[in-house]
Amino acid sequence: SQQGEEDPQALSIQEGENATMNCSYKTSINNLQWYRQNSGRGLVHLILIRSNEREKHSGRLRVTLDTSKKSSSLLITASRAADTASYFCATAPSGGYQKVTFGTGTKLQVIP
Amino acid sequence: DGGITQSPKYLFRKEGQNVTLSCEQNLNHDAMYWYRQDPGQGLRLIYYSQIVNDFQKGDIAEGYSVSREKKESFPLTVTSAQKNPTAFYLCASNPGGTSGRGDNEQFFGPGTRLTVL
């Protein structure tokens, strides 16, 4: 079964707006990762946040992690048309270090 | 260029045939993975290998087989026992393997789209 569930399933925004995607998971984790997938392509790793971290930034990306609520959010600021893609969270469980479980993804459309 | 290659990009199979999907990496990574992605869905783990000559079943291994004879290569065979093989197949790797070194960030290939005719 899927460990992570993203919300919303789909999101459509205007260029320049911020996009926020959420991920909830069920069991204790070692870390949580966010990936991006352009249509028909492989996934690209965006950012990893460890279980003892609460917030992480990378360029226009901001990720938060709340282990008490078993949830994470990905914020993309000042979105661009090129950000149009599907975004997936993936969790690495405590003790199952080499195995990550992917969520169902959020499909983001940025309208120019 | 370092990276992961998958071939072919598109593959068509007749019912009852076995087909093998290729995955090669030159990143010197110990761990390699095969995922299946259905339309509008997330990724489901088929098999993974943490080191040469060793592999484990993932969540949906039935109807699939793998081998890991070389560090660089992790081919996936979709057998006739897989009843619904039409999907997008993704191969990935990460450095860690059994050493546990580094984080388990995954590097993905471009994928193979398999269609059963």
Side-chain angles (χ1 to χ4, degrees), chain A residues 59-105:
Chain A
R60 294 185 295 114
L61 305 181
R62 173 180 170 247
V63 169
T64 61
L65 179 64
D66 187 335
T67 53
S68 66
K69 295 181 179 177
K70 292 186 168 60
S71 68
S72 173
S73 67
L74 171 67
L75 168 67
I76 303 173
T77 60
S79 64
R80 305 167 182 168
D83 294 328
T84 295
S86 292
Y87 292 83
F88 295 89
C89 68
T91 51
S94 302
Y97 191 74
Q98 290 305 324
K99 209 174 142 182
V100 300
T101 303
F102 286 83
T104 52

Coordinates of all heavy atoms in Angstrom, one line a residue, chain A residues 59-105:
Chain A
G59 N 16.6 26.9 -3.3 CA 16.1 27.8 -4.4 C 14.7 28.3 -4.1 O 14.4 28.8 -3.0
R60 N 13.8 28.0 -5.0 CA 12.4 28.4 -4.8 C 11.6 27.4 -4.1 O 10.3 27.5 -3.9 CB 11.8 28.7 -6.2 CG 12.3 29.9 -6.9 CD 11.6 30.2 -8.2 NE 11.8 29.1 -9.2 CZ 10.8 28.4 -9.6 NH1 9.5 28.5 -9.1 NH2 11.0 27.4 -10.5
L61 N 12.2 26.4 -3.6 CA 11.5 25.3 -2.9 C 11.7 25.4 -1.4 O 12.7 25.7 -0.9 CB 12.0 23.9 -3.3 CG 12.0 23.6 -4.8 CD1 12.6 22.2 -5.0 CD2 10.7 23.7 -5.4
R62 N 10.5 25.2 -0.7 CA 10.6 25.2 0.8 C 9.8 23.9 1.2 O 8.7 23.7 0.8 CB 10.0 26.4 1.4 CG 9.8 26.4 2.9 CD 9.2 27.7 3.4 NE 8.9 27.6 4.8 CZ 7.6 27.6 5.3 NH1 6.6 27.7 4.4 NH2 7.4 27.5 6.6
V63 N 10.5 23.1 2.0 CA 9.8 21.9 2.5 C 9.7 22.0 4.0 O 10.7 22.4 4.7 CB 10.6 20.6 2.1 CG1 10.1 19.4 2.9 CG2 10.5 20.4 0.6
T64 N 8.6 21.6 4.6 CA 8.4 21.5 6.0 C 8.1 20.0 6.4 O 7.5 19.3 5.6 CB 7.4 22.4 6.6 OG1 6.1 22.1 5.9 CG2 7.7 23.9 6.2
L65 N 8.4 19.7 7.6 CA 8.1 18.3 8.1 C 7.6 18.4 9.5 O 8.2 19.0 10.3 CB 9.4 17.4 8.0 CG 9.2 16.0 8.5 CD1 8.2 15.2 7.6 CD2 10.6 15.3 8.6
D66 N 6.5 17.8 9.7 CA 5.9 17.7 11.1 C 5.7 16.2 11.4 O 4.7 15.6 11.0 CB 4.5 18.5 11.1 CG 4.0 18.6 12.5 OD1 4.3 17.7 13.4 OD2 3.2 19.5 12.8
T67 N 6.7 15.7 12.2 CA 6.6 14.3 12.4 C 5.5 13.9 13.4 O 5.0 12.8 13.4 CB 8.0 13.8 13.0 OG1 8.3 14.6 14.1 CG2 9.0 13.8 11.9
S68 N 5.1 14.9 14.2 CA 4.0 14.6 15.2 C 2.7 14.4 14.4 O 1.8 13.6 14.8 CB 3.8 15.7 16.2 OG 3.4 16.9 15.6
K69 N 2.5 15.1 13.3 CA 1.3 15.0 12.5 C 1.5 14.0 11.3 O 0.6 13.8 10.5 CB 0.9 16.3 11.9 CG 0.4 17.3 13.0 CD 0.0 18.6 12.4 CE -0.5 19.6 13.6 NZ -0.9 20.9 13.0
K70 N 2.8 13.5 11.1 CA 3.1 12.7 10.0 C 2.7 13.4 8.7 O 2.0 12.8 7.9 CB 2.5 11.3 10.1 CG 3.1 10.5 11.3 CD 2.5 9.1 11.3 CE 3.3 8.2 12.2 NZ 3.2 8.6 13.6
S71 N 3.2 14.6 8.5 CA 2.9 15.3 7.3 C 4.1 16.2 6.9 O 4.9 16.6 7.7 CB 1.6 16.1 7.5 OG 1.9 17.2 8.4
S72 N 4.1 16.5 5.6 CA 5.1 17.4 5.0 C 4.4 18.2 4.0 O 3.4 17.9 3.4 CB 6.2 16.5 4.3 OG 7.1 17.3 3.6
S73 N 5.0 19.4 3.7 CA 4.5 20.2 2.6 C 5.6 20.7 1.8 O 6.8 20.9 2.3 CB 3.7 21.4 3.2 OG 4.6 22.3 3.9
L74 N 5.3 20.9 0.5 CA 6.3 21.4 -0.5 C 5.7 22.7 -1.0 O 4.6 22.7 -1.5 CB 6.5 20.5 -1.6 CG 7.3 21.0 -2.8 CD1 8.8 21.2 -2.4 CD2 7.3 20.0 -4.0
L75 N 6.4 23.8 -0.9 CA 6.0 25.1 -1.4 C 6.9 25.5 -2.5 O 8.2 25.5 -2.3 CB 6.1 26.2 -0.2 CG 5.9 27.6 -0.7 CD1 4.5 27.9 -1.2 CD2 6.3 28.6 0.5
I76 N 6.4 25.8 -3.6 CA 7.1 26.4 -4.8 C 6.7 27.8 -4.9 O 5.6 28.2 -5.1 CB 6.8 25.6 -6.1 CG1 7.1 24.1 -5.9 CG2 7.7 26.2 -7.2 CD1 6.6 23.3 -7.2
T77 N 7.7 28.7 -4.7 CA 7.4 30.1 -4.7 C 7.6 30.7 -6.2 O 8.3 30.1 -6.9 CB 8.3 30.9 -3.8 OG1 9.6 30.7 -4.1 CG2 8.0 30.5 -2.3
A78 N 6.8 31.7 -6.5 CA 6.9 32.4 -7.8 C 7.0 31.4 -8.9 O 7.9 31.3 -9.7 CB 8.2 33.3 -7.8
S79 N 5.9 30.6 -9.0 CA 5.9 29.5 -10.0 C 6.1 30.0 -11.4 O 5.8 31.1 -11.8 CB 4.6 28.7 -9.9 OG 3.5 29.6 -10.2
R80 N 6.6 29.1 -12.2 CA 6.9 29.3 -13.6 C 6.2 28.3 -14.5 O 5.9 27.2 -13.9 CB 8.4 29.3 -13.9 CG 9.2 30.2 -13.1 CD 10.7 29.9 -13.2 NE 11.5 30.8 -12.3 CZ 12.7 30.6 -12.0 NH1 13.4 29.6 -12.6 NH2 13.4 31.4 -11.2
A81 N 5.9 28.5 -15.7 CA 5.3 27.5 -16.6 C 6.1 26.2 -16.6 O 5.6 25.1 -16.7 CB 5.1 28.1 -18.0
A82 N 7.4 26.4 -16.5 CA 8.3 25.2 -16.5 C 8.2 24.3 -15.3 O 8.7 23.2 -15.2 CB 9.8 25.6 -16.7
D83 N 7.5 24.8 -14.2 CA 7.3 24.0 -13.0 C 6.1 23.0 -13.2 O 5.9 22.2 -12.4 CB 6.9 24.9 -11.8 CG 8.1 25.8 -11.4 OD1 9.2 25.3 -11.6 OD2 7.8 26.9 -10.9
T84 N 5.4 23.1 -14.4 CA 4.3 22.2 -14.6 C 4.9 20.8 -14.7 O 5.7 20.4 -15.5 CB 3.7 22.5 -16.0 OG1 3.0 23.8 -15.9 CG2 2.6 21.5 -16.4
A85 N 4.3 19.9 -13.8 CA 4.8 18.5 -13.6 C 4.0 17.9 -12.5 O 3.2 18.5 -11.9 CB 6.3 18.6 -13.2
S86 N 4.3 16.6 -12.3 CA 3.7 15.9 -11.2 C 4.8 15.9 -10.1 O 6.0 15.7 -10.4 CB 3.3 14.5 -11.5 OG 2.2 14.5 -12.4
Y87 N 4.4 16.0 -8.8 CA 5.3 16.0 -7.7 C 4.9 14.9 -6.7 O 3.7 14.8 -6.4 CB 5.2 17.4 -7.0 CG 5.8 18.5 -7.9 CD1 5.0 19.1 -8.9 CD2 7.1 18.9 -7.7 CE1 5.5 20.1 -9.7 CE2 7.6 19.9 -8.6 CZ 6.8 20.5 -9.5 OH 7.3 21.5 -10.4
F88 N 5.9 14.2 -6.3 CA 5.7 13.0 -5.5 C 6.5 13.1 -4.2 O 7.7 13.6 -4.2 CB 6.1 11.7 -6.2 CG 5.3 11.4 -7.4 CD1 5.7 11.8 -8.6 CD2 4.2 10.5 -7.3 CE1 5.0 11.5 -9.8 CE2 3.5 10.2 -8.4 CZ 3.9 10.7 -9.6
C89 N 5.9 12.8 -3.1 CA 6.7 12.6 -1.9 C 7.0 11.1 -1.7 O 6.3 10.2 -2.3 CB 5.9 13.1 -0.6 SG 4.5 12.1 -0.1
A90 N 8.1 10.9 -1.1 CA 8.6 9.5 -0.9 C 9.2 9.4 0.5 O 9.9 10.3 1.0 CB 9.7 9.1 -1.9
T91 N 8.8 8.3 1.2 CA 9.3 8.2 2.6 C 10.2 7.0 2.7 O 10.0 5.9 2.1 CB 8.1 8.0 3.6 OG1 7.2 7.0 3.1 CG2 7.3 9.3 3.7
A92 N 11.2 7.2 3.5 CA 12.2 6.1 3.9 C 11.9 5.7 5.3 O 12.1 6.6 6.2 CB 13.6 6.6 3.7
P93 N 11.4 4.6 5.6 CA 11.0 4.2 6.9 C 12.2 4.0 7.8 O 13.2 3.6 7.4 CB 10.2 2.9 6.7 CG 10.7 2.3 5.5 CD 11.1 3.5 4.6
S94 N 12.0 4.2 9.1 CA 13.0 3.9 10.1 C 13.2 2.4 10.0 O 12.3 1.6 10.0 CB 12.5 4.2 11.5 OG 12.2 5.6 11.6
G95 N 14.5 2.0 9.9 CA 14.8 0.6 9.9 C 14.8 0.0 8.5 O 15.4 -1.1 8.3
G96 N 14.1 0.6 7.6 CA 14.0 0.0 6.2 C 14.7 1.0 5.3 O 14.2 1.5 4.3
Y97 N 15.9 1.3 5.7 CA 16.6 2.5 5.1 C 16.7 2.6 3.6 O 16.6 3.6 3.0 CB 18.0 2.5 5.7 CG 18.8 3.7 5.5 CD1 18.5 4.9 6.2 CD2 19.8 3.8 4.6 CE1 19.1 6.0 6.0 CE2 20.5 5.0 4.4 CZ 20.2 6.1 5.1 OH 20.8 7.3 4.9
Q98 N 16.9 1.4 3.0 CA 17.1 1.5 1.5 C 15.9 1.4 0.7 O 16.0 1.3 -0.5 CB 18.1 0.3 1.2 CG 19.5 0.6 1.7 CD 20.0 1.9 1.2 OE1 19.8 2.4 0.1 NE2 20.8 2.6 2.1
K99 N 14.7 1.3 1.3 CA 13.5 1.2 0.6 C 12.6 2.4 0.8 O 12.3 2.7 1.9 CB 12.8 -0.1 1.2 CG 11.9 -0.8 0.2 CD 11.4 -2.1 0.9 CE 10.0 -2.3 0.4 NZ 9.4 -3.5 1.1
V100 N 12.3 3.1 -0.2 CA 11.4 4.2 -0.1 C 10.1 3.9 -0.7 O 10.0 3.1 -1.6 CB 12.0 5.5 -0.8 CG1 13.3 5.9 -0.2 CG2 12.1 5.3 -2.3
T101 N 9.1 4.5 -0.2 CA 7.7 4.3 -0.7 C 7.2 5.6 -1.2 O 7.2 6.6 -0.5 CB 6.8 3.8 0.4 OG1 7.4 2.6 0.9 CG2 5.4 3.5 -0.1
F102 N 6.6 5.6 -2.4 CA 6.2 6.8 -3.1 C 4.7 7.0 -2.9 O 3.9 6.1 -2.8 CB 6.5 6.8 -4.6 CG 7.9 7.0 -4.9 CD1 8.8 5.9 -4.8 CD2 8.4 8.2 -5.3 CE1 10.2 6.1 -5.1 CE2 9.8 8.4 -5.5 CZ 10.6 7.3 -5.4
G103 N 4.3 8.3 -2.8 CA 2.9 8.6 -2.8 C 2.3 8.7 -4.2 O 2.9 8.3 -5.2
T104 N 1.0 9.1 -4.2 CA 0.3 9.1 -5.5 C 0.5 10.3 -6.3 O 0.1 10.4 -7.5 CB -1.2 8.9 -5.2 OG1 -1.6 9.9 -4.3 CG2 -1.5 7.5 -4.7
G105 N 1.1 11.4 -5.8 CA 1.5 12.5 -6.6 C 0.4 13.6 -6.6 O -0.8 13.4 -6.5

